[in-house]
Coordinates of all heavy atoms in Angstrom, one line a residue:
M1 N -23.8 -57.5 -10.7 CA -23.8 -57.1 -9.4 C -22.5 -56.6 -8.9 O -22.4 -55.7 -8.1 CB -24.4 -58.3 -8.5 CG -24.8 -57.9 -7.2 SD -26.1 -56.8 -7.2 CE -26.8 -57.1 -5.6
E2 N -21.5 -57.4 -9.3 CA -20.1 -57.0 -8.8 C -19.7 -55.7 -9.4 O -19.0 -54.9 -8.8 CB -19.1 -58.1 -9.2 CG -17.8 -57.8 -8.6 CD -16.9 -59.1 -8.6 OE1 -17.4 -60.2 -8.4 OE2 -15.7 -58.9 -8.9
I3 N -20.1 -55.4 -10.6 CA -19.8 -54.1 -11.3 C -20.4 -52.9 -10.4 O -19.8 -51.9 -10.2 CB -20.3 -54.0 -12.7 CG1 -19.6 -55.0 -13.6 CG2 -20.2 -52.6 -13.3 CD1 -20.1 -55.1 -15.0
I4 N -21.6 -53.1 -9.9 CA -22.3 -52.1 -9.1 C -21.5 -51.9 -7.8 O -21.2 -50.7 -7.4 CB -23.7 -52.4 -8.8 CG1 -24.5 -52.4 -10.1 CG2 -24.3 -51.5 -7.8 CD1 -25.9 -52.9 -10.0
N5 N -21.0 -53.0 -7.2 CA -20.2 -52.9 -6.0 C -18.9 -52.1 -6.3 O -18.4 -51.3 -5.5 CB -19.9 -54.2 -5.4 CG -21.1 -54.8 -4.7 OD1 -22.0 -54.1 -4.3 ND2 -21.2 -56.1 -4.6
T6 N -18.3 -52.5 -7.4 CA -17.0 -51.8 -7.7 C -17.2 -50.3 -8.0 O -16.4 -49.5 -7.6 CB -16.4 -52.5 -9.0 OG1 -16.3 -53.9 -8.7 CG2 -15.1 -51.9 -9.4
V7 N -18.3 -50.0 -8.7 CA -18.6 -48.6 -9.0 C -18.9 -47.8 -7.7 O -18.4 -46.7 -7.4 CB -19.8 -48.4 -10.0 CG1 -20.2 -47.0 -10.1 CG2 -19.4 -49.0 -11.3
A8 N -19.6 -48.5 -6.8 CA -20.0 -47.9 -5.5 C -18.7 -47.6 -4.7 O -18.5 -46.6 -4.1 CB -21.0 -48.7 -4.8
Q9 N -17.9 -48.6 -4.6 CA -16.6 -48.5 -3.9 C -15.7 -47.4 -4.5 O -15.1 -46.6 -3.8 CB -15.8 -49.8 -3.9 CG -16.5 -50.9 -3.0 CD -15.8 -52.2 -3.2 OE1 -14.9 -52.4 -4.0 NE2 -16.2 -53.2 -2.3
S10 N -15.7 -47.3 -5.8 CA -14.9 -46.3 -6.5 C -15.5 -44.9 -6.2 O -14.7 -44.0 -5.9 CB -14.9 -46.5 -8.0 OG -14.3 -47.7 -8.3
V11 N -16.8 -44.8 -6.1 CA -17.4 -43.5 -5.8 C -17.1 -43.1 -4.4 O -16.8 -41.9 -4.1 CB -19.0 -43.5 -6.1 CG1 -19.7 -42.3 -5.5 CG2 -19.2 -43.7 -7.6
V12 N -17.2 -44.0 -3.5 CA -16.9 -43.7 -2.1 C -15.4 -43.3 -1.9 O -15.1 -42.3 -1.2 CB -17.2 -45.0 -1.2 CG1 -16.7 -44.8 0.2 CG2 -18.7 -45.2 -1.1
I13 N -14.5 -44.1 -2.5 CA -13.1 -43.7 -2.5 C -12.8 -42.4 -3.1 O -12.1 -41.5 -2.5 CB -12.3 -44.8 -3.1 CG1 -12.3 -46.1 -2.3 CG2 -10.8 -44.4 -3.3 CD1 -11.7 -47.3 -3.0
A14 N -13.4 -42.1 -4.2 CA -13.2 -40.8 -4.9 C -13.8 -39.7 -4.0 O -13.2 -38.6 -3.9 CB -13.9 -40.8 -6.3
G15 N -14.9 -39.9 -3.4 CA -15.5 -38.9 -2.5 C -14.6 -38.6 -1.3 O -14.4 -37.5 -0.9
F16 N -14.1 -39.7 -0.7 CA -13.2 -39.5 0.4 C -11.9 -38.8 0.0 O -11.5 -37.9 0.7 CB -12.8 -40.9 1.0 CG -11.8 -40.8 2.0 CD1 -12.1 -40.4 3.3 CD2 -10.4 -41.2 1.8 CE1 -11.1 -40.3 4.3 CE2 -9.5 -41.1 2.7 CZ -9.8 -40.7 4.0
L17 N -11.3 -39.2 -1.2 CA -10.1 -38.5 -1.6 C -10.4 -37.0 -2.0 O -9.6 -36.2 -1.7 CB -9.6 -39.2 -2.9 CG -9.0 -40.6 -2.6 CD1 -8.5 -41.3 -3.9 CD2 -7.8 -40.5 -1.6
T18 N -11.6 -36.7 -2.5 CA -11.9 -35.4 -2.8 C -12.0 -34.6 -1.5 O -11.5 -33.4 -1.4 CB -13.2 -35.3 -3.6 OG1 -13.1 -36.0 -4.8 CG2 -13.6 -33.9 -3.9
G19 N -12.7 -35.1 -0.5 CA -12.8 -34.4 0.8 C -11.5 -34.2 1.4 O -11.2 -33.2 2.0
A20 N -10.7 -35.3 1.4 CA -9.3 -35.2 2.0 C -8.5 -34.1 1.3 O -7.8 -33.3 1.9 CB -8.6 -36.5 2.0
F21 N -8.5 -34.1 0.0 CA -7.8 -33.1 -0.8 C -8.3 -31.7 -0.5 O -7.5 -30.8 -0.3 CB -8.0 -33.4 -2.3 CG -7.3 -32.4 -3.2 CD1 -5.9 -32.5 -3.4 CD2 -8.0 -31.4 -3.8 CE1 -5.2 -31.6 -4.2 CE2 -7.3 -30.5 -4.6 CZ -5.9 -30.6 -4.8
S22 N -9.6 -31.6 -0.4 CA -10.1 -30.2 -0.1 C -9.7 -29.8 1.3 O -9.3 -28.7 1.5 CB -11.6 -30.3 -0.1 OG -12.2 -29.1 0.3
Y23 N -9.7 -30.7 2.3 CA -9.3 -30.4 3.7 C -7.8 -30.1 3.8 O -7.4 -29.2 4.4 CB -9.8 -31.5 4.6 CG -9.4 -31.2 6.1 CD1 -10.1 -30.2 6.8 CD2 -8.3 -31.8 6.7 CE1 -9.8 -30.0 8.1 CE2 -8.0 -31.5 8.0 CZ -8.8 -30.6 8.7 OH -8.4 -30.3 10.0
I24 N -7.0 -31.0 3.1 CA -5.6 -30.9 3.3 C -4.9 -29.8 2.4 O -4.0 -29.1 2.9 CB -4.9 -32.3 3.0 CG1 -5.4 -33.3 4.0 CG2 -3.4 -32.2 2.9 CD1 -5.0 -34.7 3.6
V25 N -5.5 -29.6 1.2 CA -4.8 -28.7 0.3 C -5.6 -27.4 0.1 O -5.1 -26.3 0.3 CB -4.6 -29.3 -1.1 CG1 -4.1 -28.4 -2.1 CG2 -3.7 -30.6 -1.0
L26 N -6.9 -27.5 -0.2 CA -7.6 -26.3 -0.6 C -7.9 -25.4 0.6 O -7.9 -24.1 0.5 CB -8.9 -26.7 -1.3 CG -8.8 -27.4 -2.6 CD1 -10.1 -27.7 -3.2 CD2 -7.9 -26.6 -3.6
T27 N -8.2 -25.9 1.8 CA -8.6 -25.1 2.9 C -7.4 -24.2 3.3 O -7.5 -23.0 3.5 CB -9.0 -25.9 4.1 OG1 -10.2 -26.6 3.7 CG2 -9.3 -25.1 5.3
P28 N -6.2 -24.8 3.5 CA -5.0 -23.9 3.8 C -4.7 -22.9 2.7 O -4.3 -21.8 3.0 CB -3.9 -24.9 4.0 CG -4.5 -26.2 4.3 CD -5.8 -26.2 3.6
L29 N -4.9 -23.4 1.5 CA -4.6 -22.5 0.3 C -5.6 -21.3 0.3 O -5.2 -20.1 0.1 CB -4.8 -23.3 -1.0 CG -4.3 -22.6 -2.3 CD1 -2.9 -22.2 -2.2 CD2 -4.6 -23.5 -3.4
N30 N -6.8 -21.5 0.6 CA -7.8 -20.4 0.7 C -7.5 -19.5 1.9 O -7.6 -18.3 1.7 CB -9.2 -21.0 0.9 CG -9.8 -21.5 -0.4 OD1 -9.4 -21.0 -1.5 ND2 -10.7 -22.4 -0.3
K31 N -7.0 -20.0 3.0 CA -6.6 -19.2 4.1 C -5.4 -18.3 3.7 O -5.4 -17.1 4.1 CB -6.3 -20.0 5.4 CG -7.5 -20.6 6.0 CD -7.2 -21.4 7.2 CE -8.4 -22.1 7.8 NZ -8.1 -22.9 9.0
S32 N -4.5 -18.9 3.0 CA -3.3 -18.2 2.6 C -3.7 -17.1 1.6 O -3.2 -15.9 1.7 CB -2.3 -19.1 1.9 OG -1.8 -20.0 2.9
I33 N -4.6 -17.4 0.7 CA -5.0 -16.4 -0.3 C -5.7 -15.2 0.5 O -5.5 -14.0 0.2 CB -5.9 -17.0 -1.3 CG1 -5.1 -17.9 -2.2 CG2 -6.7 -15.9 -2.1 CD1 -5.9 -18.8 -3.2
E34 N -6.6 -15.5 1.4 CA -7.3 -14.5 2.2 C -6.3 -13.7 3.0 O -6.4 -12.4 3.1 CB -8.3 -15.1 3.1 CG -9.2 -14.1 3.8 CD -10.0 -13.2 2.8 OE1 -10.4 -13.8 1.8 OE2 -10.1 -12.0 3.1
G35 N -5.2 -14.3 3.6 CA -4.2 -13.5 4.3 C -3.5 -12.6 3.3 O -3.2 -11.4 3.7
L36 N -3.1 -13.1 2.1 CA -2.5 -12.2 1.1 C -3.4 -11.1 0.7 O -2.9 -9.9 0.5 CB -2.1 -13.1 -0.1 CG -0.9 -14.0 0.2 CD1 -0.7 -14.9 -1.1 CD2 0.4 -13.2 0.4
R37 N -4.7 -11.4 0.6 CA -5.6 -10.3 0.2 C -5.6 -9.2 1.3 O -5.6 -8.0 0.9 CB -7.0 -10.9 0.0 CG -8.1 -9.9 -0.4 CD -9.4 -10.5 -0.7 NE -9.3 -11.4 -1.8 CZ -9.8 -12.6 -1.9 NH1 -10.3 -13.2 -0.8 NH2 -9.7 -13.3 -3.0
T38 N -5.6 -9.6 2.5 CA -5.6 -8.6 3.6 C -4.3 -7.8 3.6 O -4.4 -6.6 3.7 CB -5.7 -9.4 5.0 OG1 -6.9 -10.1 5.0 CG2 -5.7 -8.4 6.1
I39 N -3.2 -8.5 3.4 CA -1.9 -7.8 3.3 C -1.9 -6.8 2.2 O -1.4 -5.6 2.3 CB -0.7 -8.8 3.2 CG1 -0.6 -9.5 4.6 CG2 0.6 -8.1 2.9 CD1 0.4 -10.7 4.5
V40 N -2.3 -7.2 1.0 CA -2.4 -6.3 -0.2 C -3.2 -5.1 0.1 O -2.9 -4.0 -0.2 CB -2.8 -7.1 -1.4 CG1 -3.2 -6.1 -2.6 CG2 -1.8 -8.1 -1.9
Q41 N -4.4 -5.3 0.8 CA -5.3 -4.2 1.1 C -4.6 -3.2 2.1 O -4.7 -2.0 1.9 CB -6.6 -4.7 1.7 CG -7.6 -3.6 1.9 CD -7.9 -2.8 0.6 OE1 -8.2 -3.4 -0.4 NE2 -7.9 -1.5 0.7
E42 N -3.9 -3.8 3.1 CA -3.2 -2.9 4.0 C -2.1 -2.1 3.3 O -1.9 -0.9 3.6 CB -2.6 -3.8 5.1 CG -3.6 -4.3 6.1 CD -3.0 -5.3 7.1 OE1 -1.8 -5.6 7.0 OE2 -3.8 -5.8 7.9
L43 N -1.4 -2.8 2.4 CA -0.3 -2.1 1.6 C -0.9 -1.0 0.8 O -0.4 0.1 0.6 CB 0.4 -3.0 0.8 CG 1.4 -4.0 1.5 CD1 2.0 -5.0 0.6 CD2 2.5 -3.2 2.2
K44 N -2.1 -1.2 0.2 CA -2.8 -0.2 -0.6 C -3.1 1.0 0.2 O -2.9 2.1 -0.2 CB -4.0 -0.8 -1.3 CG -3.8 -1.6 -2.5 CD -5.1 -2.1 -3.1 CE -4.9 -2.9 -4.3 NZ -6.2 -3.4 -4.9
D45 N -3.7 0.7 1.4 CA -4.1 1.8 2.3 C -2.8 2.6 2.8 O -2.9 3.8 2.8 CB -4.8 1.2 3.6 CG -6.1 0.6 3.2 OD1 -6.7 0.9 2.1 OD2 -6.6 -0.2 4.1
E46 N -1.8 1.9 3.1 CA -0.5 2.6 3.5 C 0.0 3.4 2.3 O 0.5 4.5 2.6 CB 0.5 1.6 4.0 CG 1.7 2.2 4.6 CD 2.6 1.2 5.3 OE1 2.1 0.2 5.9 OE2 3.8 1.4 5.3
L47 N 0.0 2.9 1.1 CA 0.5 3.6 0.0 C -0.4 4.9 -0.2 O 0.2 6.0 -0.5 CB 0.4 2.7 -1.3 CG 1.0 3.3 -2.5 CD1 2.5 3.7 -2.4 CD2 0.8 2.3 -3.7
R48 N -1.7 4.8 -0.1 CA -2.5 5.9 -0.2 C -2.2 7.0 0.8 O -2.1 8.2 0.5 CB -4.0 5.5 0.0 CG -4.9 6.0 -1.2 CD -6.3 5.5 -1.0 NE -6.5 4.3 -1.8 CZ -6.9 3.1 -1.4 NH1 -7.1 2.9 -0.1 NH2 -7.0 2.1 -2.1
Y49 N -2.0 6.5 2.1 CA -1.6 7.5 3.2 C -0.3 8.1 2.9 O -0.1 9.3 3.0 CB -1.6 6.7 4.5 CG -1.1 7.5 5.6 CD1 -1.9 8.5 6.2 CD2 0.2 7.4 6.2 CE1 -1.5 9.3 7.2 CE2 0.6 8.2 7.2 CZ -0.2 9.1 7.7 OH 0.2 9.9 8.8
S50 N 0.7 7.3 2.4 CA 2.0 7.9 2.1 C 2.0 8.9 1.0 O 2.6 9.9 1.0 CB 3.0 6.7 1.7 OG 3.3 5.9 2.8
E51 N 1.1 8.6 0.0 CA 1.0 9.5 -1.1 C 0.3 10.8 -0.7 O 0.7 11.9 -1.1 CB 0.1 8.9 -2.2 CG -0.1 9.8 -3.4 CD 1.2 10.1 -4.2 OE1 2.1 9.4 -4.1 OE2 1.2 11.2 -4.9
Q52 N -0.6 10.7 0.2 CA -1.3 11.9 0.8 C -0.2 12.7 1.6 O -0.2 14.0 1.4 CB -2.4 11.5 1.7 CG -3.1 12.7 2.4 CD -4.2 12.2 3.3 OE1 -4.5 11.0 3.4 NE2 -4.8 13.1 4.0
R53 N 0.6 12.1 2.4 CA 1.6 12.8 3.2 C 2.6 13.4 2.3 O 3.1 14.5 2.5 CB 2.3 11.8 4.2 CG 1.4 11.3 5.3 CD 1.2 12.4 6.3 NE 2.4 12.8 6.9 CZ 2.7 14.1 7.3 NH1 1.8 15.0 7.2 NH2 3.8 14.4 7.8
R54 N 3.0 12.7 1.2 CA 4.0 13.3 0.3 C 3.4 14.5 -0.4 O 4.1 15.5 -0.5 CB 4.4 12.2 -0.8 CG 5.5 12.7 -1.7 CD 5.6 11.9 -3.0 NE 4.4 12.0 -3.8 CZ 4.1 13.0 -4.6 NH1 4.8 14.1 -4.6 NH2 3.0 13.0 -5.3
H55 N 2.2 14.5 -0.7 CA 1.6 15.6 -1.4 C 1.5 16.8 -0.4 O 1.8 18.0 -0.8 CB 0.1 15.3 -1.8 CG -0.6 16.4 -2.5 ND1 -0.2 16.8 -3.8 CD2 -1.6 17.2 -2.1 CE1 -1.0 17.9 -4.1 NE2 -1.8 18.1 -3.1
E56 N 1.2 16.5 0.9 CA 1.1 17.6 1.9 C 2.5 18.2 2.1 O 2.7 19.4 2.2 CB 0.6 17.0 3.2 CG -0.9 16.7 3.2 CD -1.3 15.9 4.4 OE1 -0.5 15.7 5.3 OE2 -2.5 15.6 4.5
L57 N 3.5 17.3 2.2 CA 4.9 17.8 2.3 C 5.4 18.6 1.1 O 6.1 19.6 1.2 CB 5.9 16.7 2.6 CG 5.8 16.0 3.9 CD1 6.6 14.7 4.0 CD2 6.1 17.0 5.0
Q58 N 5.0 18.2 -0.1 CA 5.3 18.9 -1.3 C 4.7 20.3 -1.3 O 5.4 21.3 -1.6 CB 4.8 18.2 -2.5 CG 5.2 18.7 -3.8 CD 4.7 17.8 -5.0 OE1 3.9 16.9 -4.8 NE2 5.2 18.1 -6.2
E59 N 3.5 20.4 -0.8 CA 2.9 21.8 -0.7 C 3.6 22.6 0.4 O 3.8 23.8 0.1 CB 1.4 21.6 -0.3 CG 0.5 21.1 -1.4 CD -0.9 20.9 -0.9 OE1 -1.3 21.1 0.3 OE2 -1.8 20.6 -1.8
R60 N 4.0 22.0 1.5 CA 4.7 22.8 2.5 C 6.0 23.2 2.0 O 6.5 24.4 2.3 CB 4.9 21.9 3.8 CG 3.6 21.7 4.5 CD 3.8 20.8 5.7 NE 4.6 21.5 6.7 CZ 5.2 20.9 7.7 NH1 4.9 19.6 7.9 NH2 5.9 21.5 8.6
V61 N 6.8 22.4 1.3 CA 8.1 22.8 0.7 C 7.9 23.9 -0.3 O 8.7 24.9 -0.2 CB 8.8 21.6 0.0 CG1 9.9 22.0 -0.8 CG2 9.2 20.6 1.1
A62 N 6.9 23.9 -1.1 CA 6.6 25.0 -2.0 C 6.4 26.3 -1.2 O 6.9 27.3 -1.6 CB 5.4 24.7 -2.9
K63 N 5.6 26.2 -0.2 CA 5.4 27.4 0.6 C 6.7 27.9 1.3 O 6.9 29.1 1.3 CB 4.3 27.2 1.7 CG 2.9 27.0 1.2 CD 1.9 26.7 2.3 CE 0.6 26.4 1.7 NZ -0.4 26.1 2.7
V64 N 7.5 27.0 1.8 CA 8.8 27.4 2.4 C 9.7 28.0 1.4 O 10.4 29.0 1.6 CB 9.4 26.2 3.1 CG1 10.9 26.5 3.5 CG2 8.6 25.8 4.3
E65 N 9.7 27.4 0.2 CA 10.6 28.0 -0.9 C 10.1 29.4 -1.3 O 10.9 30.3 -1.5 CB 10.6 27.1 -2.1 CG 11.4 25.8 -1.9 CD 11.3 24.9 -3.1 OE1 10.3 25.0 -3.9 OE2 12.1 24.0 -3.2
A66 N 8.8 29.6 -1.4 CA 8.3 30.9 -1.7 C 8.6 31.9 -0.6 O 9.0 33.1 -0.9 CB 6.8 30.8 -1.9
S67 N 8.5 31.5 0.7 CA 8.8 32.3 1.8 C 10.3 32.7 1.8 O 10.7 33.8 2.1 CB 8.4 31.7 3.1 OG 8.7 32.5 4.2
A68 N 11.1 31.7 1.5 CA 12.6 32.0 1.5 C 12.9 32.9 0.4 O 13.8 33.8 0.6 CB 13.3 30.6 1.3
A69 N 12.3 32.8 -0.8 CA 12.6 33.7 -1.9 C 12.2 35.1 -1.5 O 12.9 36.1 -1.8 CB 11.8 33.2 -3.1
S70 N 11.0 35.2 -0.9 CA 10.6 36.5 -0.4 C 11.5 37.1 0.6 O 11.9 38.3 0.5 CB 9.2 36.4 0.2 OG 8.7 37.6 0.7
A71 N 12.0 36.3 1.5 CA 13.0 36.8 2.5 C 14.3 37.2 1.9 O 14.9 38.2 2.2 CB 13.2 35.7 3.6
H72 N 14.7 36.5 0.9 CA 15.9 36.9 0.1 C 15.7 38.2 -0.6 O 16.7 39.1 -0.6 CB 16.3 35.8 -0.9 CG 17.0 34.6 -0.3 ND1 18.3 34.7 0.2 CD2 16.6 33.4 0.0 CE1 18.6 33.5 0.7 NE2 17.6 32.7 0.6
H73 N 14.6 38.4 -1.1 CA 14.3 39.7 -1.8 C 14.4 40.9 -0.8 O 14.9 41.9 -1.0 CB 13.0 39.7 -2.5 CG 13.0 38.9 -3.8 ND1 13.8 39.1 -4.8 CD2 12.2 37.8 -4.1 CE1 13.6 38.2 -5.8 NE2 12.6 37.4 -5.3
R74 N 13.7 40.6 0.4 CA 13.8 41.7 1.4 C 15.2 41.9 1.9 O 15.6 43.1 2.1 CB 12.9 41.2 2.6 CG 11.4 41.3 2.3 CD 10.5 41.2 3.5 NE 10.8 40.0 4.3 CZ 10.2 38.8 4.1 NH1 9.3 38.7 3.2 NH2 10.5 37.8 4.9
L75 N 16.0 40.9 2.1 CA 17.3 41.0 2.5 C 18.2 41.8 1.5 O 19.0 42.6 1.8 CB 18.0 39.7 2.8 CG 17.5 39.0 4.1 CD1 18.1 37.6 4.2 CD2 17.9 39.8 5.3
D76 N 17.9 41.4 0.2 CA 18.7 42.1 -0.9 C 18.3 43.6 -0.9 O 19.2 44.5 -1.1 CB 18.3 41.5 -2.2 CG 19.0 40.1 -2.4 OD1 19.9 39.8 -1.7 OD2 18.5 39.4 -3.3
R77 N 17.0 43.9 -0.6 CA 16.6 45.3 -0.6 C 17.2 46.0 0.6 O 17.7 47.1 0.5 CB 15.0 45.4 -0.5 CG 14.4 46.4 -1.4 CD 12.9 46.5 -1.4 NE 12.3 46.1 -0.2 CZ 11.4 45.0 -0.1 NH1 11.2 44.3 -1.1 NH2 10.8 44.8 1.1
I78 N 17.3 45.4 1.7 CA 17.9 46.0 2.9 C 19.4 46.2 2.7 O 20.0 47.2 3.0 CB 17.6 45.1 4.2 CG1 16.2 45.2 4.6 CG2 18.5 45.5 5.3 CD1 15.8 44.2 5.6
D79 N 20.0 45.1 2.0 CA 21.4 45.2 1.7 C 21.7 46.4 0.8 O 22.7 47.1 0.9 CB 21.9 43.9 1.1 CG 23.4 43.9 1.0 OD1 24.1 44.3 1.9 OD2 23.9 43.4 -0.1
D80 N 20.8 46.6 -0.2 CA 21.0 47.7 -1.1 C 20.9 49.0 -0.4 O 21.7 50.0 -0.6 CB 20.0 47.7 -2.3 CG 20.3 46.5 -3.3 OD1 21.4 46.0 -3.3 OD2 19.3 46.2 -4.0
I81 N 19.9 49.1 0.5 CA 19.7 50.4 1.3 C 20.9 50.6 2.2 O 21.5 51.7 2.2 CB 18.4 50.3 2.1 CG1 17.2 50.3 1.2 CG2 18.3 51.5 3.1 CD1 15.9 50.0 1.9
L82 N 21.3 49.6 2.9 CA 22.4 49.8 3.8 C 23.8 49.9 3.1 O 24.7 50.6 3.5 CB 22.5 48.6 4.8 CG 21.4 48.5 5.9 CD1 21.6 47.3 6.7 CD2 21.3 49.8 6.7
G83 N 23.9 49.2 2.0 CA 25.1 49.3 1.2 C 25.3 50.6 0.6 O 26.4 51.2 0.5
G84 N 24.2 51.2 0.2 CA 24.3 52.6 -0.3 C 24.6 53.6 0.7 O 25.3 54.6 0.4
V85 N 24.2 53.4 1.9 CA 24.5 54.3 3.0 C 25.9 54.2 3.5 O 26.6 55.2 3.8 CB 23.5 54.1 4.2 CG1 23.9 55.0 5.4 CG2 22.1 54.4 3.8
H86 N 26.4 53.0 3.6 CA 27.7 52.8 4.2 C 28.9 52.9 3.1 O 30.0 52.8 3.5 CB 27.8 51.4 4.8 CG 27.0 51.3 6.1 ND1 25.7 50.9 6.1 CD2 27.3 51.6 7.3 CE1 25.2 50.9 7.3 NE2 26.2 51.4 8.1
Q87 N 28.6 53.1 1.9 CA 29.7 53.2 0.9 C 30.2 54.6 0.8 O 30.0 55.6 1.0 CB 29.2 52.7 -0.4 CG 28.9 51.3 -0.5 CD 28.5 50.8 -1.8 OE1 28.3 51.6 -2.7 NE2 28.4 49.5 -2.0

């Protein structure tokens, strides 16, 4: 009979300790993990947005470079025409 009481007490104590451990350790740990998951997702979204903006800027720079090259050709042509007249 005493063995049953000892086992019952041990089970109650183990259950209490398990519940306390879960409340004290696991609950805050799960909240922290969820917070980190949210932060990682936000960083992924921001990285995606930054990559999109970088790509758009890269396209704009390419267009500006092409336009500048075209303007230089026109200026060189004008310089050749005016240089030939003024020489």
Side-chain angles (χ1 to χ4, degrees):
M1 191 66 154
E2 188 162 321
I3 293 176
I4 294 175
N5 285 336
T6 303
V7 170
Q9 289 173 351
S10 297
V11 168
V12 168
I13 291 172
F16 174 77
L17 291 176
T18 301
F21 179 78
S22 174
Y23 181 75
I24 293 170
V25 176
L26 296 181
T27 299
L29 188 59
N30 283 334
K31 287 180 183 179
S32 295
I33 290 171
E34 188 57 39
L36 288 172
R37 182 177 291 130
T38 301
I39 290 170
V40 167
Q41 185 59 48
E42 289 172 0
L43 287 172
K44 283 181 180 180
D45 294 343
E46 189 170 326
L47 184 61
R48 231 178 263 121
Y49 175 75
S50 294
E51 180 63 25
Q52 179 183 355
R53 290 288 298 145
R54 187 196 61 77
H55 182 70
E56 290 170 2
L57 288 173
Q58 187 176 10
E59 287 178 356
R60 288 180 64 193
V61 166
K63 288 177 183 179
V64 168
E65 287 175 341
S67 178
S70 177
H72 281 287
H73 289 298
R74 287 192 305 272
L75 289 172
D76 288 343
R77 223 176 31 241
I78 290 170
D79 189 43
D80 287 343
I81 293 169
L82 294 177
V85 173
H86 288 94
Q87 289 182 354

